[in-house]
Amino acid sequence: MQTTPLMALAQAMTATAHPRALGLEVISVEKGRARLSLPYRAELVGEPETGVIAGGAITALLDHVCGVAVMTALAAPAPIATLDLRIDYMRPAAVGRIVLAEAHCYKVTHSIAFVRATAYEDSADDPIASASAAFILTGTQLHPWSSAPA
Amino acid sequence: MQTTPLMALAQAMTATAHPRALGLEVISVEKGRARLSLPYRAELVGEPETGVIAGGAITALLDHVCGVAVMTALAAPAPIATLDLRIDYMRPAAVGRIVLAEAHCYKVTHSIAFVRATAYEDSADDPIASASAAFILTGTQLHPWSSAPA
Amino acid sequence: MQTTPLMALAQAMTATAHPRALGLEVISVEKGRARLSLPYRAELVGEPETGVIAGGAITALLDHVCGVAVMTALAAPAPIATLDLRIDYMRPAAVGRIVLAEAHCYKVTHSIAFVRATAYEDSADDPIASASAAFILTGTQLHPWSSAPA
Amino acid sequence: MQTTPLMALAQAMTATAHPRALGLEVISVEKGRARLSLPYRAELVGEPETGVIAGGAITALLDHVCGVAVMTALAAPAPIATLDLRIDYMRPAAVGRIVLAEAHCYKVTHSIAFVRATAYEDSADDPIASASAAFILTGTQLHPWSSAPA
């Protein structure tokens, strides 16, 4: 088995308490791109009558996958902080299905990284929700979303 | 002790798995307004070197307080779904402090409710992050953020 | 010469006063997709020393191209209203260059249409700004962004 | 008659081509706060049957008032650039009425300024639309929304 440095970085970011509590898993990662999964679990259900997982879990998934994609886009791991995050929700997640999210950090300037992400079950063409976010590259002025894992 | 119907509603919404895993607590609630707390806990730390809690926990707090404020603004509990959520992050949360969030649902139209929220420790004038969101009032077409608790 | 119904629709939307004042032109259109141009003009300059056009002109371009893409995505022309619009700005537009914007309406639900757009000079991979927006499909409750031209 | 330096600054920003084409006028300004008006004019109508002005004109008004509020919040005029802008639209503007917009720059960090704005006819409690935006304080990396007028 082989783990690339980017995969190790993504897994270290996902091993912190909040992503772990949600059950997030890294599926694949390449420079500027990340794909994660959120397995369906009873504890995530927000609506007991239907079994649909809480919107907040989708929010957290998209928030995290954006951060991972930004980190992998940088030349070297560095502190990043979410500057803003916007999520649009299209429809409920299918009951009992794994939710995937993929993010693409499409632009890095001197001080800001821009990223978009989509959550879905089968195809990004039938999205559950989509996100766009901006991250600031020095975590010191703003909210340190994450530091680079050692 | 006395619990108002709005407080009971807010607490029922906060008793689901994801808010409970974060440790969210309802502080106060009135029609169209809600205040919640996120107590500091080691499991929420996103940055071990500094002890700062993960940005994702602030995101989840703001997401949830917006939903509670919208629900209390309605004439009767009804299914609501987050249509979109935007969060701006100003600075890290102070280490070891309780984070508060207050939300105000400032406009309800026939089909959409609009809400703003702020997270802070001591005063909303020194915010950690601020949110604005739109919720759709029938949960059937979109992501059911929450149904009305029975 | 031949004008498709979608092109006629896009041109009618762009013939209203505000788009015309900016000098917006429809380049191409297909179902759910639109491409428009904003020619460089001295009146749009926001920063006399550098000649860079005002950010507000880019905002207006993206706002409009989103509306056109949504309108073409509908089965039949119908009133639409912008529910929310978010724009991220990456860099200044190049001085003296035509700015292009292309939009894709990637999801239409019963009541909401979701769209993304990018502004650039040469390639969408080197964006000036990007937008995401949600439109509501009955203009009566909210801001009537546009009605269907007769 | 007396013009304060902040009023002179706001008027200079509003004397550029795009705000002038819309007919924007500065009503009042103080440190971190600005109020502007958009007089009703036939050229701004987006929907001929109803006479409602185009959503894009409201967008431009909010975009501009945010920039003015940020500029007045700074210790000294300096280049600023819109990093992102989000607008929520609640309802159509009333036909034939002046639209007002007021903005408050509620937080300035080392590199970013955060601002909120509301558009309305009579009262901010009955909004047409609301905006939140982030501006970056050095215009060189991103879109130069405006330079400081000489």
Side-chain angles (χ1 to χ4, degrees), chain B:
Chain B
M1 205 206 72
Q2 204 181 356
T3 298
T4 67
L6 287 184
M7 178 55 97
L9 181 63
Q11 286 175 335
M13 289 176 75
T14 308
T16 54
H18 193 216
R20 211 168 47 201
L22 287 163
L24 302 189
E25 286 171 29
V26 183
I27 302 293
S28 65
V29 62
E30 55 184 289
K31 193 167 175 52
R33 292 183 186 270
R35 197 144 52 119
L36 271 79
S37 72
L38 171 69
Y40 185 84
R41 289 189 305 149
E43 302 99 277
L44 300 176
V45 169
E47 198 179 12
E49 312 87 75
T50 61
V52 169
I53 62 172
I58 303 294
T59 302
L61 168 66
L62 286 166
D63 190 0
H64 190 71
V65 77
C66 284
V68 173
V70 168
M71 190 68 89
T72 68
L74 304 182
I80 59 174
T82 315
L83 189 60
D84 62 74
L85 170 71
R86 172 195 165 143
I87 302 180
D88 292 299
Y89 303 84
M90 273 111 237
R91 63 172 176 82
V95 174
R97 299 291 308 277
I98 290 173
V99 177
L100 299 175
E102 59 188 36
H104 177 209
C105 177
Y106 63 98
K107 181 81 180 178
V108 180
T109 70
H110 177 261
S111 55
I112 309 280
F114 297 92
V115 59
R116 282 179 176 162
T118 306
Y120 58 89
E121 298 95 357
D122 293 310
S123 159
D125 292 338
D126 184 19
I128 297 166
S130 78
S132 59
F135 285 70
I136 196 158
L137 299 189
T138 65
T140 53
Q141 302 297 333
L142 285 155
H143 198 96
W145 186 86
S146 174
S147 62

Side-chain angles (χ1 to χ4, degrees), chain D residues 74-111:
Chain D
L74 303 183
I80 60 175
T82 315
L83 189 60
D84 62 75
L85 170 72
R86 171 194 166 144
I87 302 180
D88 293 299
Y89 304 85
M90 270 111 237
R91 62 173 177 82
V95 174
R97 299 290 309 279
I98 291 174
V99 178
L100 300 175
E102 60 188 33
H104 176 210
C105 177
Y106 62 97
K107 181 80 180 178
V108 180
T109 71
H110 178 260
S111 55

Side-chain angles (χ1 to χ4, degrees), chain C residues 116-132:
Chain C
R116 282 178 176 163
T118 306
Y120 58 90
E121 298 95 358
D122 292 309
S123 159
D125 291 338
D126 184 20
I128 297 166
S130 78
S132 59

Side-chain angles (χ1 to χ4, degrees), chain A residues 83 108-113 135-138, chain D residues 83 136 138 141-142:
Chain A
L83 188 61
V108 180
T109 70
H110 179 259
S111 55
I112 309 282
F135 286 70
I136 196 159
L137 299 189
T138 64
Chain D
L83 189 60
I136 196 159
T138 64
Q141 303 296 332
L142 286 155

